[in-house]
Amino acid sequence: MMRIDINCDMGESFGAYHLGNDLEILDYVTSINVACGFHAGDPMIMARTVRQAIEKNVKIGAHPGYPDLQGFGRRNMDFSPEEIYNMIIYQVGALQAFVGIEKGKLHHVKPHGALYNQSANDREKAGAVIDAMFDLNPDYILYCLSGSLMAQMAKEKGLTVYEEAFSDRNYNEDGTLVTRSQKQALIESEEGMLQHVRGIISSNEVMTIQKKLIKINAQTLCIHGDGPHALHFARRISELNKI
């Protein structure tokens, strides 16, 4: 029996560029976050990813990001709340259409990259994302950083929230992710990843880079589909989640 939702970012290829092992990873996750064309993805990739997920009975979420193909949506950008609201509507609306054509159901929305991190504890940016989701469909679940202001605001708005932990990212003492510009940002060894994930699943705890054990509330666990060990890590985490 699964103990925690396992999600993975997918559909991040575009045009002639192929990224990730999407079809294989679908066997080991329970939900996916599909790139909607701004940071990655394109109409062909979106359609194919949605179809494959429905065939595998995997829950589908939208993964909207900043319009930043060159930086893969991971560069901080300065947009107004209105601009963020409209880019969420635009991207999630596109994925809604593909899911609807395949007679599926959109399950959740998870902001990507810099949008995810910048909106986690910024009231205006968080509010823009939350309002867009609520206006699109108040039944959509928001996937966001565990313990964040965004999680609190979304619950107050009436949205269902899955607070998220990361299988391959290190944490600071305040519960934030170590920024990718630091060497310690990623957990790259299988042993380290399994120890980290075991703590999240069994005890709701993570060891920070400051060597302090902190509590973390998580209903979903993320695997980054573009990582070099993504498929292998997904398989091992799925095994661990069934124990």
PDB file of all heavy atoms in Angstrom, residues 87-107:
ATOM      1  N   MET A  87      -0.584  34.236 -16.622  1.00  0.00           N
ATOM      2  CA  MET A  87       0.247  33.160 -17.157  1.00  0.00           C
ATOM      3  C   MET A  87      -0.156  31.793 -16.585  1.00  0.00           C
ATOM      4  O   MET A  87      -0.033  30.774 -17.267  1.00  0.00           O
ATOM      5  CB  MET A  87       1.743  33.447 -16.988  1.00  0.00           C
ATOM      6  CG  MET A  87       2.295  33.435 -15.617  1.00  0.00           C
ATOM      7  SD  MET A  87       4.125  33.685 -15.605  1.00  0.00           S
ATOM      8  CE  MET A  87       4.275  35.386 -16.173  1.00  0.00           C
ATOM      9  N   ILE A  88      -0.684  31.785 -15.370  1.00  0.00           N
ATOM     10  CA  ILE A  88      -1.220  30.536 -14.802  1.00  0.00           C
ATOM     11  C   ILE A  88      -2.476  30.123 -15.561  1.00  0.00           C
ATOM     12  O   ILE A  88      -2.633  28.956 -15.962  1.00  0.00           O
ATOM     13  CB  ILE A  88      -1.531  30.702 -13.303  1.00  0.00           C
ATOM     14  CG1 ILE A  88      -0.268  30.993 -12.493  1.00  0.00           C
ATOM     15  CG2 ILE A  88      -2.246  29.456 -12.760  1.00  0.00           C
ATOM     16  CD1 ILE A  88       0.722  29.864 -12.420  1.00  0.00           C
ATOM     17  N   ILE A  89      -3.398  31.074 -15.766  1.00  0.00           N
ATOM     18  CA  ILE A  89      -4.627  30.783 -16.512  1.00  0.00           C
ATOM     19  C   ILE A  89      -4.287  30.227 -17.895  1.00  0.00           C
ATOM     20  O   ILE A  89      -4.858  29.219 -18.347  1.00  0.00           O
ATOM     21  CB  ILE A  89      -5.492  32.054 -16.660  1.00  0.00           C
ATOM     22  CG1 ILE A  89      -5.957  32.581 -15.284  1.00  0.00           C
ATOM     23  CG2 ILE A  89      -6.681  31.796 -17.592  1.00  0.00           C
ATOM     24  CD1 ILE A  89      -6.952  31.718 -14.569  1.00  0.00           C
ATOM     25  N   TYR A  90      -3.364  30.872 -18.570  1.00  0.00           N
ATOM     26  CA  TYR A  90      -2.973  30.501 -19.935  1.00  0.00           C
ATOM     27  C   TYR A  90      -2.414  29.079 -19.983  1.00  0.00           C
ATOM     28  O   TYR A  90      -2.830  28.250 -20.812  1.00  0.00           O
ATOM     29  CB  TYR A  90      -1.930  31.508 -20.420  1.00  0.00           C
ATOM     30  CG  TYR A  90      -1.485  31.364 -21.857  1.00  0.00           C
ATOM     31  CD1 TYR A  90      -2.070  32.101 -22.868  1.00  0.00           C
ATOM     32  CD2 TYR A  90      -0.427  30.513 -22.191  1.00  0.00           C
ATOM     33  CE1 TYR A  90      -1.642  32.001 -24.191  1.00  0.00           C
ATOM     34  CE2 TYR A  90       0.004  30.401 -23.508  1.00  0.00           C
ATOM     35  CZ  TYR A  90      -0.611  31.146 -24.500  1.00  0.00           C
ATOM     36  OH  TYR A  90      -0.178  31.032 -25.799  1.00  0.00           O
ATOM     37  N   GLN A  91      -1.482  28.778 -19.105  1.00  0.00           N
ATOM     38  CA  GLN A  91      -0.806  27.475 -19.148  1.00  0.00           C
ATOM     39  C   GLN A  91      -1.695  26.335 -18.654  1.00  0.00           C
ATOM     40  O   GLN A  91      -1.765  25.265 -19.285  1.00  0.00           O
ATOM     41  CB  GLN A  91       0.486  27.533 -18.326  1.00  0.00           C
ATOM     42  CG  GLN A  91       1.533  28.448 -18.925  1.00  0.00           C
ATOM     43  CD  GLN A  91       2.770  28.547 -18.047  1.00  0.00           C
ATOM     44  OE1 GLN A  91       3.644  27.692 -18.058  1.00  0.00           O
ATOM     45  NE2 GLN A  91       2.843  29.616 -17.260  1.00  0.00           N
ATOM     46  N   VAL A  92      -2.358  26.546 -17.538  1.00  0.00           N
ATOM     47  CA  VAL A  92      -3.226  25.486 -17.008  1.00  0.00           C
ATOM     48  C   VAL A  92      -4.405  25.264 -17.953  1.00  0.00           C
ATOM     49  O   VAL A  92      -4.832  24.125 -18.183  1.00  0.00           O
ATOM     50  CB  VAL A  92      -3.710  25.825 -15.583  1.00  0.00           C
ATOM     51  CG1 VAL A  92      -4.671  24.750 -15.071  1.00  0.00           C
ATOM     52  CG2 VAL A  92      -2.530  25.957 -14.632  1.00  0.00           C
ATOM     53  N   GLY A  93      -4.908  26.352 -18.527  1.00  0.00           N
ATOM     54  CA  GLY A  93      -6.006  26.217 -19.482  1.00  0.00           C
ATOM     55  C   GLY A  93      -5.631  25.362 -20.673  1.00  0.00           C
ATOM     56  O   GLY A  93      -6.438  24.565 -21.172  1.00  0.00           O
ATOM     57  N   ALA A  94      -4.396  25.498 -21.152  1.00  0.00           N
ATOM     58  CA  ALA A  94      -3.942  24.675 -22.277  1.00  0.00           C
ATOM     59  C   ALA A  94      -3.916  23.198 -21.902  1.00  0.00           C
ATOM     60  O   ALA A  94      -4.370  22.341 -22.673  1.00  0.00           O
ATOM     61  CB  ALA A  94      -2.554  25.135 -22.724  1.00  0.00           C
ATOM     62  N   LEU A  95      -3.385  22.905 -20.717  1.00  0.00           N
ATOM     63  CA  LEU A  95      -3.334  21.498 -20.317  1.00  0.00           C
ATOM     64  C   LEU A  95      -4.733  20.947 -20.046  1.00  0.00           C
ATOM     65  O   LEU A  95      -5.010  19.787 -20.355  1.00  0.00           O
ATOM     66  CB  LEU A  95      -2.442  21.319 -19.083  1.00  0.00           C
ATOM     67  CG  LEU A  95      -2.136  19.856 -18.762  1.00  0.00           C
ATOM     68  CD1 LEU A  95      -1.255  19.231 -19.837  1.00  0.00           C
ATOM     69  CD2 LEU A  95      -1.457  19.709 -17.397  1.00  0.00           C
ATOM     70  N   GLN A  96      -5.603  21.779 -19.485  1.00  0.00           N
ATOM     71  CA  GLN A  96      -6.998  21.371 -19.291  1.00  0.00           C
ATOM     72  C   GLN A  96      -7.589  20.850 -20.600  1.00  0.00           C
ATOM     73  O   GLN A  96      -8.298  19.839 -20.617  1.00  0.00           O
ATOM     74  CB  GLN A  96      -7.848  22.561 -18.841  1.00  0.00           C
ATOM     75  CG  GLN A  96      -7.860  22.864 -17.367  1.00  0.00           C
ATOM     76  CD  GLN A  96      -8.773  24.054 -17.074  1.00  0.00           C
ATOM     77  OE1 GLN A  96      -9.027  24.895 -17.933  1.00  0.00           O
ATOM     78  NE2 GLN A  96      -9.255  24.136 -15.849  1.00  0.00           N
ATOM     79  N   ALA A  97      -7.317  21.542 -21.683  1.00  0.00           N
ATOM     80  CA  ALA A  97      -7.880  21.171 -22.978  1.00  0.00           C
ATOM     81  C   ALA A  97      -7.390  19.790 -23.422  1.00  0.00           C
ATOM     82  O   ALA A  97      -8.181  18.954 -23.872  1.00  0.00           O
ATOM     83  CB  ALA A  97      -7.520  22.232 -24.027  1.00  0.00           C
ATOM     84  N   PHE A  98      -6.086  19.547 -23.286  1.00  0.00           N
ATOM     85  CA  PHE A  98      -5.545  18.248 -23.676  1.00  0.00           C
ATOM     86  C   PHE A  98      -6.112  17.119 -22.805  1.00  0.00           C
ATOM     87  O   PHE A  98      -6.425  16.038 -23.302  1.00  0.00           O
ATOM     88  CB  PHE A  98      -4.019  18.266 -23.589  1.00  0.00           C
ATOM     89  CG  PHE A  98      -3.356  18.987 -24.721  1.00  0.00           C
ATOM     90  CD1 PHE A  98      -2.679  20.183 -24.498  1.00  0.00           C
ATOM     91  CD2 PHE A  98      -3.398  18.488 -26.009  1.00  0.00           C
ATOM     92  CE1 PHE A  98      -2.063  20.870 -25.543  1.00  0.00           C
ATOM     93  CE2 PHE A  98      -2.780  19.158 -27.068  1.00  0.00           C
ATOM     94  CZ  PHE A  98      -2.119  20.358 -26.820  1.00  0.00           C
ATOM     95  N   VAL A  99      -6.233  17.378 -21.512  1.00  0.00           N
ATOM     96  CA  VAL A  99      -6.778  16.367 -20.597  1.00  0.00           C
ATOM     97  C   VAL A  99      -8.242  16.099 -20.932  1.00  0.00           C
ATOM     98  O   VAL A  99      -8.694  14.942 -20.952  1.00  0.00           O
ATOM     99  CB  VAL A  99      -6.619  16.824 -19.133  1.00  0.00           C
ATOM    100  CG1 VAL A  99      -7.327  15.847 -18.188  1.00  0.00           C
ATOM    101  CG2 VAL A  99      -5.144  16.929 -18.752  1.00  0.00           C
ATOM    102  N   GLY A 100      -8.990  17.149 -21.201  1.00  0.00           N
ATOM    103  CA  GLY A 100     -10.408  16.994 -21.522  1.00  0.00           C
ATOM    104  C   GLY A 100     -10.635  16.191 -22.787  1.00  0.00           C
ATOM    105  O   GLY A 100     -11.543  15.351 -22.857  1.00  0.00           O
ATOM    106  N   ILE A 101      -9.827  16.427 -23.814  1.00  0.00           N
ATOM    107  CA  ILE A 101      -9.961  15.689 -25.076  1.00  0.00           C
ATOM    108  C   ILE A 101      -9.755  14.185 -24.859  1.00  0.00           C
ATOM    109  O   ILE A 101     -10.402  13.355 -25.498  1.00  0.00           O
ATOM    110  CB  ILE A 101      -8.967  16.240 -26.117  1.00  0.00           C
ATOM    111  CG1 ILE A 101      -9.467  17.580 -26.643  1.00  0.00           C
ATOM    112  CG2 ILE A 101      -8.752  15.253 -27.274  1.00  0.00           C
ATOM    113  CD1 ILE A 101      -8.484  18.314 -27.518  1.00  0.00           C
ATOM    114  N   GLU A 102      -8.856  13.841 -23.928  1.00  0.00           N
ATOM    115  CA  GLU A 102      -8.587  12.424 -23.633  1.00  0.00           C
ATOM    116  C   GLU A 102      -9.549  11.850 -22.587  1.00  0.00           C
ATOM    117  O   GLU A 102      -9.341  10.745 -22.090  1.00  0.00           O
ATOM    118  CB  GLU A 102      -7.143  12.275 -23.140  1.00  0.00           C
ATOM    119  CG  GLU A 102      -6.084  12.631 -24.166  1.00  0.00           C
ATOM    120  CD  GLU A 102      -6.084  11.720 -25.379  1.00  0.00           C
ATOM    121  OE1 GLU A 102      -6.502  10.544 -25.249  1.00  0.00           O
ATOM    122  OE2 GLU A 102      -5.688  12.192 -26.461  1.00  0.00           O
ATOM    123  N   LYS A 103     -10.584  12.638 -22.246  1.00  0.00           N
ATOM    124  CA  LYS A 103     -11.604  12.206 -21.259  1.00  0.00           C
ATOM    125  C   LYS A 103     -10.998  11.956 -19.884  1.00  0.00           C
ATOM    126  O   LYS A 103     -11.467  11.118 -19.115  1.00  0.00           O
ATOM    127  CB  LYS A 103     -12.331  10.936 -21.725  1.00  0.00           C
ATOM    128  CG  LYS A 103     -12.890  11.012 -23.125  1.00  0.00           C
ATOM    129  CD  LYS A 103     -13.934  12.093 -23.253  1.00  0.00           C
ATOM    130  CE  LYS A 103     -14.592  12.017 -24.636  1.00  0.00           C
ATOM    131  NZ  LYS A 103     -14.691  13.289 -25.315  1.00  0.00           N
ATOM    132  N   GLY A 104      -9.919  12.700 -19.583  1.00  0.00           N
ATOM    133  CA  GLY A 104      -9.292  12.588 -18.268  1.00  0.00           C
ATOM    134  C   GLY A 104      -9.727  13.717 -17.353  1.00  0.00           C
ATOM    135  O   GLY A 104     -10.643  14.491 -17.668  1.00  0.00           O
ATOM    136  N   LYS A 105      -9.049  13.821 -16.209  1.00  0.00           N
ATOM    137  CA  LYS A 105      -9.386  14.839 -15.217  1.00  0.00           C
ATOM    138  C   LYS A 105      -8.096  15.445 -14.679  1.00  0.00           C
ATOM    139  O   LYS A 105      -7.189  14.709 -14.262  1.00  0.00           O
ATOM    140  CB  LYS A 105     -10.191  14.214 -14.070  1.00  0.00           C
ATOM    141  CG  LYS A 105     -10.613  15.202 -13.002  1.00  0.00           C
ATOM    142  CD  LYS A 105     -11.433  14.495 -11.916  1.00  0.00           C
ATOM    143  CE  LYS A 105     -11.833  15.482 -10.819  1.00  0.00           C
ATOM    144  NZ  LYS A 105     -12.587  14.793  -9.736  1.00  0.00           N
ATOM    145  N   LEU A 106      -8.007  16.766 -14.700  1.00  0.00           N
ATOM    146  CA  LEU A 106      -6.838  17.431 -14.133  1.00  0.00           C
ATOM    147  C   LEU A 106      -6.935  17.385 -12.617  1.00  0.00           C
ATOM    148  O   LEU A 106      -7.964  17.760 -12.037  1.00  0.00           O
ATOM    149  CB  LEU A 106      -6.748  18.876 -14.630  1.00  0.00           C
ATOM    150  CG  LEU A 106      -5.407  19.579 -14.416  1.00  0.00           C
ATOM    151  CD1 LEU A 106      -4.305  18.904 -15.218  1.00  0.00           C
ATOM    152  CD2 LEU A 106      -5.499  21.053 -14.808  1.00  0.00           C
ATOM    153  N   HIS A 107      -5.874  16.927 -11.974  1.00  0.00           N
ATOM    154  CA  HIS A 107      -5.884  16.658 -10.540  1.00  0.00           C
ATOM    155  C   HIS A 107      -5.325  17.810  -9.718  1.00  0.00           C
ATOM    156  O   HIS A 107      -5.852  18.132  -8.655  1.00  0.00           O
ATOM    157  CB  HIS A 107      -5.057  15.386 -10.288  1.00  0.00           C
ATOM    158  CG  HIS A 107      -4.894  15.012  -8.852  1.00  0.00           C
ATOM    159  ND1 HIS A 107      -3.713  15.215  -8.153  1.00  0.00           N
ATOM    160  CD2 HIS A 107      -5.741  14.433  -7.974  1.00  0.00           C
ATOM    161  CE1 HIS A 107      -3.840  14.763  -6.923  1.00  0.00           C
ATOM    162  NE2 HIS A 107      -5.053  14.286  -6.778  1.00  0.00           N
TER     163      HIS A 107
END
